[in-house]
Amino acid sequence: MIIAANLKTNFTRKETNSYIAELDTYVKNNAISQEVLVFPAMSSLDENNTSIVVGAQNAYPTKDGAFTGEIGTTHLDEFGIKTILIGHSERRHILGETQEALVEKFNYYKELGFKIVYCVGEPLEKREAGEAEMMEYISTQYEGIDTNYENLIIAYEPVWAIGTGLTPTLEDIASIHKELKKKSPAPLLYGGSVKVTNAKEVLAIENVDGILVGSAALYAEHFCSMIGFAEELC
Ligand code: PGA
């Protein structure tokens, strides 16, 4: 399974390093064989010699150049980073990234062989519009994406469940994952208010290959417990 932490705009570099060190100790002490990914804030990226895979929450599709406020592969290469999160709902809806821009980013990082965690998910009004409209909306987020890319991981994250404490029912997650599995053979993570209290049951759902955790992952101890649940289930 794949257990991923999206640290968003939290933790300094020093805090991130000690967080990663704590996870690394847990993984080693418990002989964990699951894949653990951490996406730190951009300025908290650093050398990483641990068992934890560190990825970028974002980068521009460029090596370098004139893209104020962005980083490129020069900056990722400095730390040997080969994993990137693309299409997170906060980038789609708060930062205004379009599907077109995401496809360009996807293709650029695919060409370079990056592991890509690509996020999809519907806002509340689409969920309330019924199953057909919701699935149609999610389908548009697959447009232009090579769903057979070998280093692809997809994360299904309903926008209304992110950071809100709300989650779909386990049955809903199961049925959406079943549908999404038809679109791509890539591992499919669930994300959106996963906590230490519900992670075990979410991970146990068929067609859930892991979790992408935001707020609850900020507690290293909680996140380690989630890694432990995944290990137990495998
Ligand atoms: P959350 O965030 O766990 O705080 O809901 C998940 C995410 O945004 O990936």
Side-chain angles (χ1 to χ4, degrees):
M1 285 194 175
I2 300 159
I3 311 300
N6 177 5
L7 302 181
K8 306 192 180 184
T9 320
N10 298 292
F11 291 172
T12 60
R13 180 177 289 134
K14 199 171 161 194
E15 287 164 343
T16 302
N17 284 341
S18 63
Y19 176 82
I20 291 171
E22 202 172 329
L23 302 191
D24 184 47
T25 303
Y26 178 85
V27 164
K28 287 178 177 152
N29 289 349
N30 295 281
I32 300 289
S33 57
Q34 313 308 307
E35 191 172 349
V36 181
L37 310 181
V38 173
F39 295 93
M42 224 183 248
S43 67
S44 300
L45 297 175
D46 205 349
E47 299 286 344
N48 171 39
N49 298 310
T50 72
S51 60
I52 309 301
V53 176
V54 171
Q57 289 176 20
N58 176 49
Y60 203 70
T62 189
K63 181 172 174 289
D64 47 27
F67 305 99
T68 302
E70 295 284 326
I71 59 168
T73 50
T74 304
H75 314 93
L76 300 180
D77 288 348
E78 183 182 6
F79 304 121
I81 290 169
K82 285 275 172 213
T83 301
I84 186 167
L85 194 62
I86 295 180
H88 188 275
S89 80
E90 284 148 17
R91 296 218 54 94
R92 288 181 193 265
H93 302 290
I94 303 176
L95 284 311
E97 282 188 65
T98 61
Q99 185 64 16
E100 210 179 7
L102 294 174
V103 167
E104 188 190 340
K105 196 175 281 189
F106 184 98
N107 287 335
Y108 184 87
Y109 284 97
K110 178 192 142 187
E111 277 306 304
L112 295 172
F114 270 60
K115 185 187 294 256
I116 298 175
V117 179
Y118 181 73
C119 305
V120 299
E122 80 290 351
L124 189 58
E125 69 269 20
K126 294 291 169 190
R127 150 103 17 177
E128 286 173 345
E131 169 102 16
E133 198 167 326
M134 179 182 87
M135 292 314 293
E136 204 175 299
Y137 177 88
I138 299 174
S139 293
T140 63
Q141 299 177 322
Y142 281 77
E143 279 169 15
I145 299 299
D146 177 2
T147 51
N148 290 309
Y149 174 47
E150 57 184 0
N151 288 326
L152 172 63
I153 297 165
I154 294 175
Y156 168 63
E157 300 200 300
V159 181
W160 52 273
I162 296 178
T164 57
L166 302 170
T167 45
T169 63
L170 300 179
E171 292 72 26
D172 276 348
I173 298 174
S175 96
I176 295 168
H177 273 237
K178 191 174 170 202
E179 281 308 302
L180 296 184
K181 272 285 181 177
K182 295 178 190 161
K183 294 182 182 294
S184 169
L188 183 59
L189 316 184
Y190 170 78
S193 294
V194 176
K195 310 243 172 288
V196 72
T197 45
N198 64 9
K200 204 173 195 166
E201 43 195 16
V202 170
L203 284 165
I205 300 172
E206 208 181 339
N207 294 316
V208 170
D209 303 308
I211 45 179
L212 176 55
V213 190
S215 359
L218 295 175
Y219 304 91
E221 215 180 298
H222 286 199
F223 191 61
C224 287
S225 301
M226 298 186 216
I227 297 168
F229 295 153
E231 187 72 22
E232 278 171 33
L233 287 163
C234 285

Tab-separated table of all heavy atoms in Angstrom, residues 112-163:
chain	number	residue	atom	x	y	z
A	112	LEU	N	10.121	12.854	-17.810
A	112	LEU	CA	11.315	12.748	-16.963
A	112	LEU	C	11.255	11.518	-16.056
A	112	LEU	O	12.145	11.285	-15.253
A	112	LEU	CB	11.466	14.015	-16.113
A	112	LEU	CG	11.730	15.305	-16.901
A	112	LEU	CD1	11.672	16.513	-15.983
A	112	LEU	CD2	13.089	15.237	-17.600
A	113	GLY	N	10.181	10.755	-16.171
A	113	GLY	CA	10.062	9.509	-15.402
A	113	GLY	C	9.663	9.697	-13.949
A	113	GLY	O	9.826	8.782	-13.132
A	114	PHE	N	9.143	10.873	-13.609
A	114	PHE	CA	8.753	11.114	-12.211
A	114	PHE	C	7.622	10.188	-11.794
A	114	PHE	O	6.771	9.815	-12.599
A	114	PHE	CB	8.264	12.561	-12.037
A	114	PHE	CG	9.356	13.523	-11.670
A	114	PHE	CD1	10.446	13.710	-12.513
A	114	PHE	CD2	9.290	14.242	-10.490
A	114	PHE	CE1	11.458	14.603	-12.177
A	114	PHE	CE2	10.295	15.142	-10.146
A	114	PHE	CZ	11.373	15.323	-10.987
A	115	LYS	N	7.611	9.855	-10.512
A	115	LYS	CA	6.430	9.230	-9.924
A	115	LYS	C	5.429	10.366	-9.753
A	115	LYS	O	5.752	11.382	-9.137
A	115	LYS	CB	6.804	8.625	-8.566
A	115	LYS	CG	5.695	7.834	-7.911
A	115	LYS	CD	6.103	7.435	-6.504
A	115	LYS	CE	7.263	6.459	-6.504
A	115	LYS	NZ	6.933	5.097	-6.231
A	116	ILE	N	4.228	10.197	-10.308
A	116	ILE	CA	3.240	11.269	-10.243
A	116	ILE	C	2.039	10.821	-9.426
A	116	ILE	O	1.420	9.793	-9.725
A	116	ILE	CB	2.766	11.675	-11.659
A	116	ILE	CG1	3.949	12.213	-12.478
A	116	ILE	CG2	1.639	12.709	-11.581
A	116	ILE	CD1	3.614	12.534	-13.936
A	117	VAL	N	1.731	11.572	-8.369
A	117	VAL	CA	0.478	11.340	-7.646
A	117	VAL	C	-0.499	12.378	-8.205
A	117	VAL	O	-0.336	13.584	-7.984
A	117	VAL	CB	0.647	11.490	-6.121
A	117	VAL	CG1	-0.692	11.268	-5.420
A	117	VAL	CG2	1.685	10.509	-5.597
A	118	TYR	N	-1.456	11.897	-8.975
A	118	TYR	CA	-2.395	12.776	-9.674
A	118	TYR	C	-3.748	12.724	-8.959
A	118	TYR	O	-4.320	11.642	-8.771
A	118	TYR	CB	-2.532	12.320	-11.129
A	118	TYR	CG	-3.473	13.188	-11.926
A	118	TYR	CD1	-3.106	14.475	-12.309
A	118	TYR	CD2	-4.743	12.723	-12.285
A	118	TYR	CE1	-3.978	15.290	-13.021
A	118	TYR	CE2	-5.614	13.530	-13.001
A	118	TYR	CZ	-5.223	14.814	-13.366
A	118	TYR	OH	-6.085	15.619	-14.064
A	119	CYS	N	-4.236	13.911	-8.553
A	119	CYS	CA	-5.465	13.953	-7.752
A	119	CYS	C	-6.702	14.298	-8.585
A	119	CYS	O	-6.644	15.166	-9.456
A	119	CYS	CB	-5.347	15.010	-6.659
A	119	CYS	SG	-3.922	14.797	-5.608
A	120	VAL	N	-7.773	13.631	-8.258
A	120	VAL	CA	-9.079	13.918	-8.860
A	120	VAL	C	-10.111	13.981	-7.733
A	120	VAL	O	-9.871	13.458	-6.646
A	120	VAL	CB	-9.501	12.824	-9.882
A	120	VAL	CG1	-8.510	12.720	-11.027
A	120	VAL	CG2	-9.706	11.461	-9.206
A	121	GLY	N	-11.241	14.619	-8.010
A	121	GLY	CA	-12.285	14.648	-6.986
A	121	GLY	C	-13.289	15.747	-7.262
A	121	GLY	O	-12.965	16.752	-7.896
A	122	GLU	N	-14.510	15.526	-6.791
A	122	GLU	CA	-15.601	16.442	-7.132
A	122	GLU	C	-15.923	17.426	-6.006
A	122	GLU	O	-15.841	17.076	-4.834
A	122	GLU	CB	-16.866	15.630	-7.476
A	122	GLU	CG	-17.667	15.125	-6.269
A	122	GLU	CD	-16.976	14.031	-5.494
A	122	GLU	OE1	-15.953	13.500	-5.937
A	122	GLU	OE2	-17.473	13.684	-4.395
A	123	PRO	N	-16.316	18.667	-6.372
A	123	PRO	CA	-16.811	19.591	-5.346
A	123	PRO	C	-18.221	19.174	-4.918
A	123	PRO	O	-18.867	18.366	-5.599
A	123	PRO	CB	-16.828	20.949	-6.052
A	123	PRO	CG	-16.777	20.671	-7.513
A	123	PRO	CD	-16.272	19.272	-7.708
A	124	LEU	N	-18.688	19.765	-3.823
A	124	LEU	CA	-19.968	19.357	-3.236
A	124	LEU	C	-21.145	19.455	-4.208
A	124	LEU	O	-21.985	18.562	-4.278
A	124	LEU	CB	-20.252	20.198	-1.983
A	124	LEU	CG	-21.433	19.755	-1.139
A	124	LEU	CD1	-21.270	18.308	-0.665
A	124	LEU	CD2	-21.602	20.673	0.070
A	125	GLU	N	-21.171	20.545	-5.006
A	125	GLU	CA	-22.345	20.700	-5.897
A	125	GLU	C	-22.411	19.582	-6.933
A	125	GLU	O	-23.499	19.203	-7.357
A	125	GLU	CB	-22.408	22.090	-6.543
A	125	GLU	CG	-21.339	22.408	-7.567
A	125	GLU	CD	-20.112	23.076	-6.957
A	125	GLU	OE1	-19.903	22.965	-5.730
A	125	GLU	OE2	-19.341	23.702	-7.720
A	126	LYS	N	-21.261	19.043	-7.306
A	126	LYS	CA	-21.256	17.935	-8.274
A	126	LYS	C	-21.704	16.641	-7.599
A	126	LYS	O	-22.408	15.825	-8.183
A	126	LYS	CB	-19.862	17.754	-8.889
A	126	LYS	CG	-19.437	18.913	-9.734
A	126	LYS	CD	-20.278	19.006	-11.022
A	126	LYS	CE	-20.040	20.306	-11.746
A	126	LYS	NZ	-20.975	20.564	-12.839
A	127	ARG	N	-21.310	16.477	-6.363
A	127	ARG	CA	-21.748	15.287	-5.618
A	127	ARG	C	-23.269	15.331	-5.442
A	127	ARG	O	-23.958	14.329	-5.617
A	127	ARG	CB	-21.026	15.251	-4.273
A	127	ARG	CG	-21.752	14.614	-3.137
A	127	ARG	CD	-21.370	13.232	-2.716
A	127	ARG	NE	-20.112	12.693	-3.146
A	127	ARG	CZ	-19.692	11.505	-2.758
A	127	ARG	NH1	-20.401	10.771	-1.934
A	127	ARG	NH2	-18.553	11.038	-3.193
A	128	GLU	N	-23.774	16.531	-5.135
A	128	GLU	CA	-25.214	16.665	-4.884
A	128	GLU	C	-26.040	16.581	-6.161
A	128	GLU	O	-27.246	16.363	-6.116
A	128	GLU	CB	-25.498	17.974	-4.129
A	128	GLU	CG	-25.061	17.849	-2.675
A	128	GLU	CD	-25.143	19.153	-1.883
A	128	GLU	OE1	-25.266	20.216	-2.513
A	128	GLU	OE2	-25.074	19.078	-0.646
A	129	ALA	N	-25.357	16.741	-7.312
A	129	ALA	CA	-26.074	16.685	-8.595
A	129	ALA	C	-26.357	15.249	-9.025
A	129	ALA	O	-26.982	15.024	-10.066
A	129	ALA	CB	-25.259	17.402	-9.661
A	130	GLY	N	-25.869	14.292	-8.237
A	130	GLY	CA	-26.160	12.887	-8.545
A	130	GLY	C	-24.957	12.179	-9.142
A	130	GLY	O	-24.036	12.802	-9.672
A	131	GLU	N	-25.031	10.853	-9.040
A	131	GLU	CA	-23.920	9.967	-9.426
A	131	GLU	C	-23.420	10.201	-10.870
A	131	GLU	O	-22.215	10.321	-11.096
A	131	GLU	CB	-24.415	8.522	-9.252
A	131	GLU	CG	-23.532	7.453	-9.826
A	131	GLU	CD	-22.701	6.752	-8.760
A	131	GLU	OE1	-23.039	6.891	-7.565
A	131	GLU	OE2	-21.718	6.089	-9.144
A	132	ALA	N	-24.374	10.301	-11.822
A	132	ALA	CA	-23.962	10.414	-13.227
A	132	ALA	C	-23.183	11.707	-13.470
A	132	ALA	O	-22.104	11.695	-14.073
A	132	ALA	CB	-25.189	10.359	-14.130
A	133	GLU	N	-23.715	12.816	-12.951
A	133	GLU	CA	-23.041	14.096	-13.170
A	133	GLU	C	-21.701	14.148	-12.430
A	133	GLU	O	-20.714	14.697	-12.921
A	133	GLU	CB	-23.960	15.246	-12.720
A	133	GLU	CG	-23.492	16.553	-13.319
A	133	GLU	CD	-24.518	17.667	-13.172
A	133	GLU	OE1	-25.730	17.383	-13.232
A	133	GLU	OE2	-24.085	18.814	-12.987
A	134	MET	N	-21.680	13.531	-11.270
A	134	MET	CA	-20.438	13.507	-10.492
A	134	MET	C	-19.345	12.737	-11.248
A	134	MET	O	-18.217	13.206	-11.383
A	134	MET	CB	-20.710	12.854	-9.133
A	134	MET	CG	-19.487	12.766	-8.276
A	134	MET	SD	-19.833	11.952	-6.721
A	134	MET	CE	-19.582	10.261	-7.186
A	135	MET	N	-19.706	11.557	-11.764
A	135	MET	CA	-18.716	10.742	-12.466
A	135	MET	C	-18.270	11.425	-13.766
A	135	MET	O	-17.118	11.323	-14.156
A	135	MET	CB	-19.260	9.334	-12.762
A	135	MET	CG	-19.463	8.462	-11.522
A	135	MET	SD	-18.108	8.438	-10.316
A	135	MET	CE	-16.827	7.603	-11.238
A	136	GLU	N	-19.209	12.124	-14.374
A	136	GLU	CA	-18.872	12.849	-15.600
A	136	GLU	C	-17.846	13.946	-15.286
A	136	GLU	O	-16.882	14.147	-16.018
A	136	GLU	CB	-20.156	13.482	-16.145
A	136	GLU	CG	-20.135	13.757	-17.626
A	136	GLU	CD	-21.493	14.268	-18.073
A	136	GLU	OE1	-22.490	13.519	-17.909
A	136	GLU	OE2	-21.544	15.424	-18.517
A	137	TYR	N	-18.074	14.635	-14.176
A	137	TYR	CA	-17.149	15.693	-13.760
A	137	TYR	C	-15.754	15.103	-13.494
A	137	TYR	O	-14.743	15.618	-13.964
A	137	TYR	CB	-17.680	16.384	-12.499
A	137	TYR	CG	-16.741	17.443	-11.968
A	137	TYR	CD1	-16.813	18.759	-12.427
A	137	TYR	CD2	-15.763	17.126	-11.026
A	137	TYR	CE1	-15.936	19.724	-11.963
A	137	TYR	CE2	-14.877	18.088	-10.558
A	137	TYR	CZ	-14.966	19.383	-11.014
A	137	TYR	OH	-14.096	20.337	-10.557
A	138	ILE	N	-15.725	14.004	-12.751
A	138	ILE	CA	-14.422	13.390	-12.428
A	138	ILE	C	-13.729	12.926	-13.723
A	138	ILE	O	-12.514	13.050	-13.863
A	138	ILE	CB	-14.576	12.233	-11.408
A	138	ILE	CG1	-15.166	12.766	-10.096
A	138	ILE	CG2	-13.239	11.538	-11.146
A	138	ILE	CD1	-15.505	11.712	-9.055
A	139	SER	N	-14.519	12.450	-14.669
A	139	SER	CA	-13.943	11.991	-15.952
A	139	SER	C	-13.191	13.108	-16.666
A	139	SER	O	-12.172	12.859	-17.303
A	139	SER	CB	-15.041	11.485	-16.886
A	139	SER	OG	-15.590	10.325	-16.350
A	140	THR	N	-13.688	14.347	-16.522
A	140	THR	CA	-13.007	15.457	-17.212
A	140	THR	C	-11.599	15.662	-16.620
A	140	THR	O	-10.720	16.189	-17.286
A	140	THR	CB	-13.785	16.792	-17.096
A	140	THR	OG1	-13.863	17.170	-15.709
A	140	THR	CG2	-15.185	16.683	-17.665
A	141	GLN	N	-11.412	15.226	-15.392
A	141	GLN	CA	-10.094	15.389	-14.768
A	141	GLN	C	-9.104	14.324	-15.256
A	141	GLN	O	-7.918	14.399	-14.952
A	141	GLN	CB	-10.237	15.356	-13.245
A	141	GLN	CG	-11.123	16.502	-12.734
A	141	GLN	CD	-11.345	16.459	-11.245
A	141	GLN	OE1	-11.490	15.381	-10.659
A	141	GLN	NE2	-11.378	17.622	-10.625
A	142	TYR	N	-9.608	13.339	-15.988
A	142	TYR	CA	-8.731	12.318	-16.586
A	142	TYR	C	-8.350	12.710	-18.019
A	142	TYR	O	-7.499	12.066	-18.621
A	142	TYR	CB	-9.433	10.952	-16.615
A	142	TYR	CG	-9.429	10.208	-15.295
A	142	TYR	CD1	-10.307	10.574	-14.271
A	142	TYR	CD2	-8.565	9.138	-15.070
A	142	TYR	CE1	-10.318	9.887	-13.066
A	142	TYR	CE2	-8.585	8.443	-13.864
A	142	TYR	CZ	-9.456	8.823	-12.867
A	142	TYR	OH	-9.463	8.141	-11.676
A	143	GLU	N	-8.996	13.764	-18.542
A	143	GLU	CA	-8.737	14.149	-19.934
A	143	GLU	C	-7.298	14.598	-20.127
A	143	GLU	O	-6.804	15.450	-19.402
A	143	GLU	CB	-9.700	15.273	-20.368
A	143	GLU	CG	-11.058	14.736	-20.763
A	143	GLU	CD	-12.118	15.826	-20.952
A	143	GLU	OE1	-11.760	17.017	-21.051
A	143	GLU	OE2	-13.303	15.447	-20.977
A	144	GLY	N	-6.649	14.000	-21.112
A	144	GLY	CA	-5.271	14.371	-21.442
A	144	GLY	C	-4.226	13.682	-20.584
A	144	GLY	O	-3.023	13.867	-20.778
A	145	ILE	N	-4.678	12.876	-19.628
A	145	ILE	CA	-3.749	12.201	-18.715
A	145	ILE	C	-3.490	10.774	-19.215
A	145	ILE	O	-4.445	10.042	-19.533
A	145	ILE	CB	-4.375	12.148	-17.293
A	145	ILE	CG1	-4.629	13.568	-16.746
A	145	ILE	CG2	-3.543	11.317	-16.328
A	145	ILE	CD1	-3.418	14.443	-16.597
A	146	ASP	N	-2.231	10.385	-19.284
A	146	ASP	CA	-1.904	9.013	-19.683
A	146	ASP	C	-2.168	8.092	-18.485
A	146	ASP	O	-1.343	7.960	-17.586
A	146	ASP	CB	-0.430	8.935	-20.120
A	146	ASP	CG	-0.019	7.504	-20.467
A	146	ASP	OD1	-0.880	6.597	-20.401
A	146	ASP	OD2	1.163	7.303	-20.792
A	147	THR	N	-3.328	7.478	-18.507
A	147	THR	CA	-3.757	6.677	-17.348
A	147	THR	C	-2.998	5.353	-17.244
A	147	THR	O	-3.138	4.639	-16.262
A	147	THR	CB	-5.262	6.384	-17.436
A	147	THR	OG1	-5.535	5.839	-18.727
A	147	THR	CG2	-6.082	7.645	-17.228
A	148	ASN	N	-2.199	5.048	-18.284
A	148	ASN	CA	-1.393	3.821	-18.238
A	148	ASN	C	0.066	4.095	-17.896
A	148	ASN	O	0.892	3.192	-17.957
A	148	ASN	CB	-1.465	3.089	-19.593
A	148	ASN	CG	-2.843	2.504	-19.802
A	148	ASN	OD1	-3.363	1.797	-18.931
A	148	ASN	ND2	-3.461	2.814	-20.922
A	149	TYR	N	0.354	5.344	-17.562
A	149	TYR	CA	1.746	5.684	-17.226
A	149	TYR	C	2.216	4.811	-16.055
A	149	TYR	O	1.545	4.716	-15.020
A	149	TYR	CB	1.832	7.181	-16.875
A	149	TYR	CG	3.165	7.628	-16.373
A	149	TYR	CD1	4.342	7.253	-17.033
A	149	TYR	CD2	3.284	8.407	-15.223
A	149	TYR	CE1	5.588	7.654	-16.558
A	149	TYR	CE2	4.519	8.821	-14.749
A	149	TYR	CZ	5.663	8.428	-15.422
A	149	TYR	OH	6.896	8.821	-14.946
A	150	GLU	N	3.368	4.195	-16.225
A	150	GLU	CA	3.808	3.195	-15.243
A	150	GLU	C	4.115	3.762	-13.854
A	150	GLU	O	4.037	3.032	-12.861
A	150	GLU	CB	5.036	2.435	-15.782
A	150	GLU	CG	6.172	3.373	-16.117
A	150	GLU	CD	7.375	2.694	-16.754
A	150	GLU	OE1	7.337	1.477	-16.953
A	150	GLU	OE2	8.358	3.415	-17.033
A	151	ASN	N	4.481	5.044	-13.786
A	151	ASN	CA	4.787	5.621	-12.468
A	151	ASN	C	3.663	6.502	-11.944
A	151	ASN	O	3.890	7.456	-11.200
A	151	ASN	CB	6.085	6.431	-12.534
A	151	ASN	CG	7.285	5.529	-12.670
A	151	ASN	OD1	7.306	4.421	-12.119
A	151	ASN	ND2	8.279	5.959	-13.429
A	152	LEU	N	2.456	6.164	-12.367
A	152	LEU	CA	1.297	6.956	-11.942
A	152	LEU	C	0.628	6.348	-10.703
A	152	LEU	O	0.476	5.127	-10.592
A	152	LEU	CB	0.284	7.006	-13.100
A	152	LEU	CG	-1.089	7.624	-12.812
A	152	LEU	CD1	-0.970	9.100	-12.444
A	152	LEU	CD2	-2.014	7.468	-14.031
A	153	ILE	N	0.244	7.249	-9.812
A	153	ILE	CA	-0.604	6.889	-8.667
A	153	ILE	C	-1.755	7.888	-8.730
A	153	ILE	O	-1.502	9.089	-8.918
A	153	ILE	CB	0.154	7.071	-7.323
A	153	ILE	CG1	1.360	6.118	-7.244
A	153	ILE	CG2	-0.777	6.847	-6.122
A	153	ILE	CD1	2.345	6.477	-6.135
A	154	ILE	N	-2.979	7.434	-8.592
A	154	ILE	CA	-4.103	8.374	-8.599
A	154	ILE	C	-4.635	8.499	-7.171
A	154	ILE	O	-4.674	7.507	-6.420
A	154	ILE	CB	-5.204	7.899	-9.578
A	154	ILE	CG1	-4.639	7.949	-11.014
A	154	ILE	CG2	-6.457	8.776	-9.481
A	154	ILE	CD1	-5.540	7.413	-12.080
A	155	ALA	N	-5.006	9.705	-6.796
A	155	ALA	CA	-5.640	9.910	-5.490
A	155	ALA	C	-7.033	10.472	-5.721
A	155	ALA	O	-7.172	11.539	-6.329
A	155	ALA	CB	-4.808	10.855	-4.638
A	156	TYR	N	-8.037	9.750	-5.244
A	156	TYR	CA	-9.405	10.270	-5.293
A	156	TYR	C	-9.658	11.039	-4.003
A	156	TYR	O	-9.601	10.459	-2.901
A	156	TYR	CB	-10.428	9.129	-5.440
A	156	TYR	CG	-11.841	9.628	-5.187
A	156	TYR	CD1	-12.397	10.596	-6.022
A	156	TYR	CD2	-12.589	9.180	-4.101
A	156	TYR	CE1	-13.666	11.106	-5.767
A	156	TYR	CE2	-13.855	9.678	-3.843
A	156	TYR	CZ	-14.384	10.648	-4.687
A	156	TYR	OH	-15.628	11.167	-4.431
A	157	GLU	N	-9.899	12.343	-4.139
A	157	GLU	CA	-10.130	13.182	-2.969
A	157	GLU	C	-11.338	14.082	-3.213
A	157	GLU	O	-11.218	15.104	-3.913
A	157	GLU	CB	-8.914	14.081	-2.711
A	157	GLU	CG	-7.628	13.325	-2.461
A	157	GLU	CD	-6.609	14.195	-1.741
A	157	GLU	OE1	-6.217	15.243	-2.271
A	157	GLU	OE2	-6.245	13.838	-0.627
A	158	PRO	N	-12.499	13.735	-2.662
A	158	PRO	CA	-13.646	14.629	-2.825
A	158	PRO	C	-13.315	15.979	-2.189
A	158	PRO	O	-12.874	16.033	-1.039
A	158	PRO	CB	-14.767	13.928	-2.044
A	158	PRO	CG	-14.212	12.654	-1.509
A	158	PRO	CD	-12.754	12.586	-1.784
A	159	VAL	N	-13.499	17.046	-2.960
A	159	VAL	CA	-13.092	18.377	-2.498
A	159	VAL	C	-13.765	18.728	-1.175
A	159	VAL	O	-13.153	19.304	-0.274
A	159	VAL	CB	-13.436	19.440	-3.571
A	159	VAL	CG1	-12.995	20.827	-3.139
A	159	VAL	CG2	-12.787	19.085	-4.908
A	160	TRP	N	-15.029	18.365	-1.042
A	160	TRP	CA	-15.804	18.718	0.153
A	160	TRP	C	-15.362	17.932	1.384
A	160	TRP	O	-15.786	18.247	2.506
A	160	TRP	CB	-17.297	18.482	-0.110
A	160	TRP	CG	-17.582	17.101	-0.624
A	160	TRP	CD1	-17.560	16.699	-1.921
A	160	TRP	CD2	-17.903	15.939	0.148
A	160	TRP	NE1	-17.855	15.360	-2.011
A	160	TRP	CE2	-18.071	14.872	-0.748
A	160	TRP	CE3	-18.074	15.699	1.527
A	160	TRP	CZ2	-18.382	13.575	-0.338
A	160	TRP	CZ3	-18.387	14.412	1.938
A	160	TRP	CH2	-18.537	13.371	1.011
A	161	ALA	N	-14.522	16.930	1.182
A	161	ALA	CA	-14.056	16.130	2.324
A	161	ALA	C	-12.671	16.554	2.785
A	161	ALA	O	-12.184	16.100	3.822
A	161	ALA	CB	-14.039	14.649	1.936
A	162	ILE	N	-12.034	17.448	2.014
A	162	ILE	CA	-10.657	17.828	2.352
A	162	ILE	C	-10.630	18.875	3.457
A	162	ILE	O	-11.188	19.961	3.301
A	162	ILE	CB	-9.913	18.334	1.093
A	162	ILE	CG1	-9.787	17.184	0.081
A	162	ILE	CG2	-8.547	18.893	1.457
A	162	ILE	CD1	-9.118	17.568	-1.219
A	163	GLY	N	-10.018	18.504	4.568
A	163	GLY	CA	-9.844	19.431	5.676
A	163	GLY	C	-11.126	19.803	6.397
A	163	GLY	O	-11.154	20.746	7.184
